[in-house]
Amino acid sequence: MGTTNVKGLLFSIVLINLSLVGFCGYPRRPVDVPFWKNYEPSWASHHIKFLNGGSTADLILDRSSGAGFQSKKSYLFGHFSMKMRLVGGDSAGVVTAFYLSSNNAEHDEIDFEFLGNRTGQPYILQTNVFTGGKGDREQRIYLWFDPTKGYHSYSVLWNTFQIVIFVDDVPIRAFKNSKDLGVKFPFNQPMKIYSSLWDADDWATRGGLEKTDWSNAPFTASYTSFHVDGCEAATPQEVQVCNTKGMRWWDQKAFQDLDALQYRRLRWVRQKYTVYNYCTDKQRYPVPPPECTKDRDI
């Protein structure tokens, strides 16, 4: 094959990759950066262990304390990702959290909460979305892999049209902007990113029936990547810029909705791995909340 043909083939491959990653609704590949670039300890820093020059951070939970960290900046919209390896073995009562939250009374929040379990039982991943201080939008799934055996990516894509929660490249939840249905959407309260490891045996495993076995302590959850690609917003002027900019990749038309393949993957998660969905809980909601149809949760 001639040099010209090789260059042409390579150029075609690049275009295909760009179309898959940048223009078809798939987030760009996260950038692996050290912990200190985007984060700082928020509590119990003596229970955080940094490895490999800060490219990995281990959170440690024992009887005396858990630990947590937070982003240095606040953001309004963007793509936020963390690679995590969860507590192995008997992790009943232990919660590992990764979430975005504003600091207002009527706060907005986007949650990953990993609920530990007895040895041999799968982790449950609970997600929730708070808007204007209202949550009660819990969804729970089993993961299709063992999250204690290696690092997996957990990420949030957030713009004015939708919030999409991903596990690796699979969308497990979409929360649409449903202001037209009277549902509040997070669009004017900047959020920081938080993560923590803590004891929640009063509710986390089988509603609190399974308690933390401290003979297995210390418990360790490991983090890496620490990717942040968001619109920084610390002042009202910056909030306005983030609301109107429309120049970032996650602001573009391709990210206003999921594409057909992503909806098929979301349906796969709903059919095979969902163990609880507030949209289908008729005891709590005899009439499904208005956003559920738009989010394709019913």
Side-chain angles (χ1 to χ4, degrees):
M1 184 180 290
T3 302
T4 301
N5 289 339
V6 170
K7 288 182 177 179
L9 177 60
L10 291 174
F11 183 68
S12 298
I13 292 172
V14 168
L15 288 179
I16 290 170
N17 287 336
L18 284 173
S19 68
L20 287 173
V21 176
F23 300 105
C24 291
Y26 286 84
R28 288 183 179 175
R29 186 177 299 277
V31 178
D32 293 337
V33 297
F35 174 90
W36 297 105
K37 179 176 175 61
N38 292 319
Y39 291 93
E40 60 190 3
S42 56
W43 60 286
S45 59
H46 58 290
H47 274 58
I48 305 177
K49 182 179 181 181
F50 298 101
L51 306 169
N52 304 318
S55 65
T56 302
D58 287 356
L59 268 59
I60 298 166
L61 168 66
D62 58 25
R63 276 191 177 276
S64 67
S65 182
F69 60 87
Q70 67 184 36
S71 61
K72 296 178 179 180
K73 310 274 188 186
S74 296
Y75 302 92
L76 191 65
F77 313 122
H79 180 235
F80 313 98
S81 180
M82 198 86 69
K83 291 179 182 176
M84 302 166 59
R85 185 181 66 224
L86 303 184
V87 174
D90 186 342
S91 57
V94 175
V95 172
T96 310
F98 165 42
Y99 60 103
L100 285 72
S101 181
S102 66
N103 293 318
N104 313 61
E106 293 189 359
H107 75 291
D108 298 329
E109 186 169 309
I110 306 165
D111 290 340
F112 284 93
E113 290 181 310
F114 301 88
L115 312 182
N117 221 326
R118 290 292 177 217
T119 302
Q121 300 299 313
Y123 262 83
I124 289 176
L125 168 55
Q126 175 172 285
T127 62
N128 203 351
V129 178
F130 288 74
T131 59
K134 180 190 179 303
D136 298 326
R137 298 186 176 101
E138 299 91 347
Q139 294 181 359
R140 291 184 172 190
I141 69 168
Y142 289 131
L143 296 166
W144 48 95
F145 52 84
D146 185 342
T148 72
K149 299 300 183 184
Y151 291 97
H152 290 267
S153 177
Y154 306 94
S155 57
V156 173
L157 175 74
W158 169 35
N159 58 32
T160 57
F161 299 94
Q162 63 176 351
I163 294 165
V164 186
I165 298 176
F166 292 90
V167 173
D168 292 328
D169 293 324
V170 178
I172 65 164
R173 182 168 189 171
F175 184 80
K176 301 293 184 182
N177 186 335
S178 298
K179 288 180 66 180
D180 57 320
L181 302 176
V183 179
K184 290 185 177 181
F185 187 82
F187 73 95
N188 62 358
Q189 297 190 104
M191 300 197 222
K192 282 195 171 185
I193 310 153
Y194 300 87
S195 197
S196 58
L197 176 65
W198 50 291
D199 174 37
D201 71 0
D202 58 330
W203 67 271
T205 306
R206 294 185 59 214
L209 295 177
E210 303 285 354
K211 300 300 183 181
T212 304
D213 184 350
W214 291 107
S215 68
N216 294 314
F219 303 99
T220 301
S222 187
Y223 299 76
T224 188
S225 184
F226 308 111
H227 166 82
V228 173
D229 184 355
C231 188
E232 294 180 15
T235 67
Q237 292 77 15
E238 288 177 332
V239 167
Q240 187 62 25
V241 169
C242 291
N243 268 323
T244 60
K245 194 177 225 179
M247 298 296 292
R248 305 291 280 270
W249 64 266
W250 34 260
D251 263 344
Q252 304 309 306
K253 184 175 177 58
F255 299 95
Q256 294 180 13
D257 199 357
L258 302 183
D259 65 19
L261 176 58
Q262 289 173 322
Y263 271 121
R264 286 198 296 272
R265 287 178 166 180
L266 180 60
R267 187 167 60 248
W268 173 72
V269 172
R270 286 285 168 268
Q271 292 174 347
K272 291 185 174 293
Y273 297 101
T274 298
V275 293
Y276 177 80
N277 185 346
Y278 78 108
C279 287
T280 58
D281 188 338
K282 293 185 178 180
Q283 185 172 354
R284 286 177 69 190
Y285 299 104
V287 177
E291 70 271 15
C292 291
T293 300
K294 183 178 280 190
D295 296 344
R296 301 198 187 185
D297 281 326
I298 54 175

